[in-house]
């Protein structure tokens, strides 16, 4: 049995939680599905599935292989779709969801080039800092800053990793000074994004040491651009992903604070509904966005 089939069988077993149901979905015998799983585990020299008489669950190695295998299989399906007739002249409405900051800074500048290349594709951008249900809202793809999707009906493709930084304006730092460690943040005015995970606590790492501090913001908002504007106006120290404030840092409008302490990083992914045949308009835009990010070397800039 070829490796791609083994991966497909394993993904179906993981998603159905059953070898029998996976075999039915793939129109193969239960014994063939079992042999495929056994062959994969022997080749990897790792137990991927924990079996009991009543229950089937993934091991930690199985969870990791499931995420990577799902991305690989999606890529293979995309490659097959690329030779379909629809790829020659994609058309229709492409609905994209992303945060205000991502739309303003990284999406809207790219859309004109894409529509010039594929004039039959109409683009609708849904701006939201919360995550839409892709299927329910008819979203073709979304940009999200989380590592994995719990919903098996959603496939992700990694776009870039970004640091989160503390930064403030030169005017604020001239008046208040710069904190040197997490304890000193209590003496400063903070600007906090309320949709971040555990937003009123900041977790720092340095030289193997981890410190979590509860924080209170002088200004809190669910919109990153409000936080950014307040920092530019000298109101306080913000905590934001580098992709939002990179240009401000380069120009000197904002200055890094406590840069030797690391906040948890974010993984920026493209999320899209899992389909056997991905529409050409969606696949082409995904490839276009990935290519533009690679050419701009964003990850290297955002993780420096």
């Amino acid at each position: 049995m070829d490796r791609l089939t083994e991966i497909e069988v394993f993904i179906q077993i993981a998603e159905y939680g059953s070898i029998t149901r996976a075999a039915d979905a793939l129109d193969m015998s239960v014994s063939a599905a079992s042999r495929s799983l056994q062959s994969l585990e022997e080749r990897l020299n790792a137990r991927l599935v924990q079996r009991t008489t009543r229950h089937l669950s993934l091991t930690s190695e199985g969870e990791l292989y499931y995420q990577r295998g799902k991305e690989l299989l999606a890529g293979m399906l995309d490659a097959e779709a690329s030779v379909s007739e629809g790829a020659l002249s994609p058309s229709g409405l492409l609905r994209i969801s992303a945060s205000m900051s991502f739309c303003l800074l990284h999406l809207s500048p790219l859309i004109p080039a894409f529509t010039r290349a594929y004039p039959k594709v109409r683009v609708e951008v849904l701006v939201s800092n919360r995550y839409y249900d892709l299927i329910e809202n008819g979203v073709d793809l979304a940009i999200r800053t989380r590592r994995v999707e719990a919903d098996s009906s959603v496939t992700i493709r990694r776009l870039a990793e970004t640091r989160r930084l503390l930064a403030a304006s030169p005017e604020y730092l001239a008046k208040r000074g710069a904190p040197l460690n997490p304890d000193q943040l209590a003496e400063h005015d903070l600007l906090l994004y309320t949709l971040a995970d555990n937003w009123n606590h900041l977790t720092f790492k340095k030289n193997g040491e981890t410190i979590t501090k509860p924080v209170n913001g002088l200004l809190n908002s669910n919109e990153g651009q409000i936080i950014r504007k307040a920092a530019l106006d000298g109101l306080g120290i913000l905590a934001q992903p580098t992709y939002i404030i990179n240009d401000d840092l380069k120009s000197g409008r904002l200055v890094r604070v406590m840069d030797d302490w690391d906040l948890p990083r974010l993984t920026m992914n493209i999320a899209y509904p899992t389909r056997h045949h991905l529409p050409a308009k969606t696949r082409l835009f995904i490839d276009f966005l990935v290519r533009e990010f690679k050419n701009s070397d964003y990850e290297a800039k955002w993780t420096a």
Side-chain angles (χ1 to χ4, degrees), residues 81 83-90:
V83 298
S84 68
E85 183 178 351
L88 301 176
S89 183

Side-chain angles (χ1 to χ4, degrees), residues 100-159:
M100 175 66 78
S101 292
F102 187 88
C103 288
L104 288 174
L105 299 172
H106 303 290
L107 188 59
S108 59
L110 297 179
I111 289 176
F114 181 79
T115 55
R116 284 194 297 269
Y118 305 103
K120 293 183 181 180
V121 177
R122 295 175 291 113
V123 179
E124 180 180 345
V125 179
L126 304 176
V127 180
S128 175
N129 292 330
R130 293 193 179 276
Y131 296 148
Y132 282 103
D133 181 293
L134 301 185
I135 305 298
E136 188 176 301
N137 291 278
V139 175
D140 293 296
L141 66 98
I143 311 301
R144 297 177 169 176
T145 51
R146 60 185 179 191
R147 188 175 61 85
V148 297
E149 294 283 340
D151 187 349
S152 63
S153 68
V154 175
T155 296
I156 61 173
R157 183 167 177 179
R158 189 179 183 279
L159 194 55

Side-chain angles (χ1 to χ4, degrees), residues 124-249:
E124 180 180 345
V125 179
L126 304 176
V127 180
S128 175
N129 292 330
R130 293 193 179 276
Y131 296 148
Y132 282 103
D133 181 293
L134 301 185
I135 305 298
E136 188 176 301
N137 291 278
V139 175
D140 293 296
L141 66 98
I143 311 301
R144 297 177 169 176
T145 51
R146 60 185 179 191
R147 188 175 61 85
V148 297
E149 294 283 340
D151 187 349
S152 63
S153 68
V154 175
T155 296
I156 61 173
R157 183 167 177 179
R158 189 179 183 279
L159 194 55
E161 184 179 81
T162 178
R163 288 187 68 188
R164 292 171 64 221
L165 299 175
L166 297 181
S169 70
E171 293 76 16
Y172 176 88
L173 296 175
K175 287 189 302 183
R176 302 286 298 275
L180 301 178
N181 57 63
D183 290 332
Q184 294 181 5
L185 287 177
E187 304 166 14
H188 287 268
D189 297 327
L190 300 182
L191 314 171
L192 303 175
Y193 180 60
T194 58
L195 295 183
D197 291 341
N198 205 18
W199 67 271
N200 55 356
H201 290 74
L202 293 177
T203 298
F204 299 92
K205 288 187 177 181
K206 180 181 177 181
N207 299 329
E209 179 185 10
T210 300
I211 297 176
T212 298
K213 288 289 183 182
V215 289
N216 294 308
L218 175 68
L219 172 67
N220 306 322
S221 176
N222 65 351
E223 173 48 59
Q225 290 301 310
I226 291 178
I227 298 299
R228 171 179 170 266
K229 182 62 167 59
L232 292 170
D233 290 341
L235 200 61
I237 300 173
L238 60 66
Q240 283 283 273
T242 318
Y243 83 88
I244 294 178
I245 60 173
N246 193 56
D247 288 346
D248 299 317
L249 295 170

